Amino acid sequence: LDPARIDRALILLADVFREMGKLTLGAMIGREAMQRATRLGDRAKEAHAACLVGNTLFDMGDIADAIPLYEKAVRFFRENGDTASLVCNMANLANCLARGARFNEGIRLLNEAERLARRMGFNRQIADIYCYLGQAYLLHGSHARAEKLFFQSNQIARPAGYHDIHFSNTWFLREMAAKIGRTADAAVQMRTLRYLRGRVENTNPEVRAYDRMTGPAAGDDYRENANA
């Protein structure tokens, strides 16, 4: 096969393993794709592979190693005018920064990404960025601001059918409601999560957390709360 086809196949395979939750294998194959692209001088594939490995490391909780990979991808996409990929990777990088105790830097970058996405009409990215902003403010303890951002994201994601973003927002809204004792709101959000779970194909961290919570090993405490 042509080397370019092999590299593309490796990137796709790594992404499939990530979606399946086989993160270690996905990261290993993604790194192989990135190294091959580097040797061949294919900077576009190197940047996309770096983004993929960064996503996988983020899912594994390895934020420190994900940040330089996102930075590499952002530099390439900015230099080459790939605006859609740039916005996506700016948001990914900013999310990592906000979670890695670099809150202000992450918020600034998310706001920059949101302005660029809005100028280009990238509605899905705007919804995603609002979700990331909500998570950042939630971690920072600004619950009211986080809740507003999750609802703003859902106002875009729900009618557009962005089920994965809608699911993530709803997961965080349910967690917030349950934590402060708003049991009726938490129950409404749980019903939405049940509905969305059948429509979400990928396995982002919120989907995996939901599956763990509702799976056979969840136990009676969860089932009692879920049916409230």
Side-chain angles (χ1 to χ4, degrees), residues 3-175:
R5 287 180 179 265
I6 296 174
D7 294 341
R8 181 61 178 158
L10 285 171
I11 291 172
L12 291 170
L13 180 61
D15 200 29
V16 168
F17 279 123
R18 177 181 172 240
E19 295 289 351
M20 294 172 66
K22 298 183 178 182
L23 301 178
T24 302
L25 192 54
M28 181 183 72
I29 294 173
R31 285 190 185 280
E32 181 182 351
M34 187 168 60
Q35 290 162 3
R36 283 176 56 89
T38 302
R39 288 197 301 271
L40 293 171
D42 190 336
R43 293 192 64 218
K45 281 198 178 69
E46 182 184 359
H48 283 291
C51 172
L52 172 59
V53 178
N55 289 340
T56 309
L57 292 175
F58 177 83
D59 287 352
M60 295 168 71
D62 192 350
I63 291 173
D65 285 341
I67 286 175
L69 293 168
Y70 286 138
E71 289 174 335
K72 174 191 287 190
V74 164
R75 283 194 301 272
F76 173 82
F77 295 132
R78 195 186 295 276
E79 291 168 4
N80 286 270
D82 186 346
T83 310
S85 298
L86 173 61
V87 170
C88 179
N89 280 273
M90 286 172 66
N92 288 337
L93 172 58
N95 190 35
C96 274
L97 293 172
R99 287 172 177 259
R102 296 164 67 179
F103 176 78
N104 292 331
E105 191 178 350
I107 292 296
R108 282 196 300 271
L109 191 57
L110 280 169
N111 286 329
E112 181 186 347
E114 190 269 341
R115 288 192 296 270
L116 182 56
R118 189 170 295 282
R119 187 164 71 242
M120 301 300 295
F122 297 156
N123 284 340
R124 179 179 172 85
Q125 284 88 341
I126 294 170
D128 214 16
I129 289 165
Y130 282 151
C131 181
Y132 283 159
L133 281 166
Q135 293 176 57
Y137 280 109
L138 182 60
L139 287 170
H140 200 58
S142 302
H143 290 185
R145 194 163 188 177
E147 184 177 47
K148 181 179 179 180
L149 285 159
F150 290 134
F151 278 123
Q152 281 183 278
S153 180
N154 270 347
Q155 285 174 354
I156 300 171
R158 189 186 299 110
Y162 304 148
H163 299 309
D164 54 337
I165 301 174
H166 189 185
F167 189 100
S168 294
N169 291 322
T170 305
W171 170 263
F172 290 115
L173 288 168
R174 182 212 168 266
E175 291 284 283

Side-chain angles (χ1 to χ4, degrees), residues 171-218:
W171 170 263
F172 290 115
L173 288 168
R174 182 212 168 266
E175 291 284 283
M176 292 170 64
K179 185 173 289 187
I180 62 177
R182 286 160 44 185
T183 55
D185 288 346
V188 169
Q189 305 294 357
M190 177 56 74
R191 286 196 291 273
T192 302
L193 289 172
R194 289 197 197 99
Y195 168 80
L196 289 171
R197 184 62 187 94
R199 289 157 176 78
V200 175
E201 296 180 359
N202 68 351
T203 55
N204 64 32
E206 293 75 54
V207 172
R208 287 196 290 275
Y210 173 86
D211 288 347
R212 287 193 299 270
M213 186 175 70
T214 59

